[in-house]
Amino acid sequence: MAKILCVLYADPEGGYPDTYARDGLPHLDHYPGGQTLPTPGGVDFTPGALLGSVSGELGLRGFLEAQGHTLVVTSDKDGPDSVFERELADADVVISQPFWPAYLTAERIARAPKLKLAVTAGIGSDHVDLDAAIQYGVTVAEVTYCNSISVSEHVVMMILSLVRNYLPSHRIVLDGGWNIADAVSRSYDLEGMHVGTVAAGRIGLAVLRRLAPFDVHLHYTDRHRLPREVEEELNLTFHESAEDMVPVCDVVTVNAPLHPETEGLFGDRLLSTMKRGAYLINTARARICDEDAIVRALESGRLAGYAGDVWFPQPAPPDHPWRSMPHHGMTPHISGSSLSAQTRYAAGTREILESWFGGTDIRDEYLIVDGGKLAGAGAHAYSTNT
Ligand code: NDP
């Protein structure tokens, strides 16, 4: 029987909810492009419940314990005295969400001799040292597509809120004020702007599709070019590299995975080629941007705004410079953890575990590392240092 160690974010400060703002979730048949939603044998939770926090347990306890497995759930994940560090020593499976990542470093993987499976309940497995997973034969899987649309909606929201100066204007209302000039002196229309995405995978393409009706000029760069009919439908301009694309853009959104090719991409050099007053939205991974270079670009006016929900480390310390830099619209890491998304990635995590314990293949589109190499979706979107 296996021990499953599940790291989830803490419950709400007011306690685990017993009611919700809405009574259910819309029914979705499939993802854009036809991929099916998760297909576990069953689920033990109510769709729309808070599943990603400790008491939600991703709805897994009944299923796992019925099979004789042990489930340990904790939010205590960092430092040598953490529950995660202690329980990892004899864990067979680790489950973690990017929003509250249990960093599976090479050292931790080396100290977990029984570890065979790391599941990302979400998308983006960069909190796992993939080279070490390859070396130690750990399978890494994530719930591909589960929150891609959730993130794309967040990106569109953040683009509009920066360009239109929404958050400072809302602050004026909260503070009892009414100075229109204060609100509008940084407010523009998105219409007519040039908007580019670094990567046009599931999220990037969904952002492009959602922005097309705003009558903007759309640009993208990616390692693989989109089909010609998609380029024509959305009137996309393709660029060979981020370096080629960003100088022509008023708004840039980052939707690539963090891997050796993208780490530190937005540093002083690339930022200096952006238009003065450009906006940068990064909901992909924080370390694609140089933390201090972003602050400098906002202070100098090179960037008119920066927004996103990804930080390093997570949780961000109270004195993280991105909390206090000017003209930012940061949120905690939430875009992919709406109640809607949680329902999908909890079901997808269960599907992966059913396959694993049932001895059947995990869907290829869920695999990142398997059999000692990048596999499935991971082979397509990631690179390693080796
Ligand atoms: P996809 O795998 O569908 O898309 C990723 C795209 O990035 C692929 O098209 C890939 O290219 C492209 N890419 C990889 N490297 C580069 C590069 N060096 N330059 C340009 N493009 C590159 O993933 P998703 O769209 O679903 O997710 C993207 C990322 O968003 C995730 O890896 C994760 O880090 C982040 N994310 C954030 C969430 C949040 O809550 N904030 C939630 C979900 C994801 P190709 O495949 O053509 O080689």
Side-chain angles (χ1 to χ4, degrees):
M1 292 300 107
K3 172 174 162 184
I4 295 95
L5 175 55
C6 187
V7 177
L8 301 176
Y9 45 78
D11 285 347
E13 295 192 355
Y16 191 75
D18 47 18
T19 59
Y20 292 90
R22 294 176 53 79
D23 295 328
L25 299 177
H27 174 73
L28 303 180
D29 285 325
H30 52 72
Y31 297 116
Q35 183 185 314
T36 54
L37 270 72
T39 51
V43 294
D44 302 327
F45 57 80
T46 306
L50 178 62
L51 301 167
S53 75
V54 169
S55 296
E57 300 183 321
L58 295 177
L60 292 173
R61 187 170 295 280
F63 157 69
L64 290 171
E65 291 186 345
Q67 297 191 25
H69 301 305
T70 304
L71 175 66
V72 176
V73 182
T74 183
S75 63
D76 183 17
K77 69 184 183 70
D78 294 317
D81 301 325
S82 61
V83 173
F84 177 63
E85 192 82 31
R86 193 171 65 239
E87 298 284 348
L88 182 62
D90 63 347
D92 300 276
V93 177
V94 165
I95 303 170
S96 161
Q97 301 169 107
F99 325 104
W100 189 257
Y103 293 109
L104 268 176
T105 59
E107 297 72 31
R108 279 176 157 172
I109 290 175
R111 278 188 273 115
K114 294 176 72 181
L115 183 64
K116 283 285 165 283
L117 175 66
V119 182
T120 302
I123 302 174
S125 297
D126 49 275
H127 58 283
V128 180
D129 186 316
L130 297 184
D131 291 303
I134 288 169
Q135 186 189 342
Y136 287 91
V138 177
T139 294
V140 181
E142 61 185 43
V143 189
T144 304
Y145 232 142
C146 65
N147 55 18
S148 303
I149 301 305
S150 323
V151 178
S152 72
E153 291 185 1
H154 207 80
V155 172
V156 173
M157 173 186 81
M158 286 182 152
I159 291 174
L160 287 168
S161 63
L162 286 185
V163 171
R164 301 203 56 83
N165 205 33
Y166 168 57
L167 291 172
S169 306
H170 183 57
R171 169 53 54 193
I172 289 171
V173 171
L174 296 178
D175 292 345
W178 194 263
N179 192 305
I180 307 288
D182 276 341
V184 300
S185 53
R186 292 186 69 88
S187 176
Y188 296 88
D189 291 351
L190 184 62
E191 184 182 27
M193 286 192 177
H194 289 257
V195 184
T197 175
V198 177
R202 294 174 185 84
I203 296 173
L205 179 57
V207 171
L208 293 169
R209 286 197 181 287
R210 277 155 184 72
L211 287 177
F214 282 87
D215 290 331
V216 289
H217 305 276
L218 293 172
H219 302 255
Y220 79 102
T221 181
D222 196 291
R223 300 196 305 186
H224 299 90
R225 206 156 166 173
L226 290 165
R228 180 190 296 251
E229 58 272 21
V230 175
E231 289 192 350
E232 286 174 0
E233 175 199 344
L234 300 174
N235 198 15
L236 304 179
T237 303
F238 172 74
H239 300 261
E240 290 291 340
S241 65
E243 287 77 4
D244 286 345
M245 185 185 79
V246 303
V248 302
C249 290
D250 303 286
V251 180
V252 174
T253 154
V254 187
N255 298 295
L258 173 65
H259 61 140
E261 282 175 26
T262 55
E263 184 161 3
L265 179 65
F266 282 85
D268 286 317
R269 197 184 52 76
L270 188 59
L271 289 165
S272 73
T273 68
M274 296 181 80
K275 285 186 190 176
R276 194 186 80 81
Y279 304 89
L280 182 59
I281 286 81
N282 176 15
T283 52
R285 285 297 178 261
R287 285 186 294 150
I288 296 174
C289 296
D290 177 324
E291 185 177 296
D292 295 329
I294 295 298
V295 177
R296 282 191 288 273
L298 286 166
E299 287 174 351
S300 71
R302 173 62 49 191
L303 288 179
Y306 180 92
D309 67 333
V310 284
W311 306 69
F312 187 80
Q314 291 186 176
D319 62 350
H320 192 293
W322 287 5
R323 288 184 188 269
S324 54
M325 63 191 180
H327 311 305
H328 81 79
M330 296 296 296
T331 63
H333 194 166
I334 58 163
S335 68
S337 194
S338 58
L339 295 174
S340 323
Q342 289 174 45
T343 291
R344 292 188 291 272
Y345 66 69
T349 301
R350 171 144 170 189
E351 180 187 333
I352 289 168
L353 293 174
E354 285 179 1
S355 302
W356 182 258
F357 292 121
T360 57
D361 289 342
I362 295 172
R363 283 197 215 194
D364 210 40
E365 64 247 35
Y366 289 168
L367 289 174
I368 302 299
V369 170
D370 193 39
K373 55 182 187 332
L374 289 175
H380 193 72
Y382 285 82
S383 65
T384 60
N385 285 311
T386 50

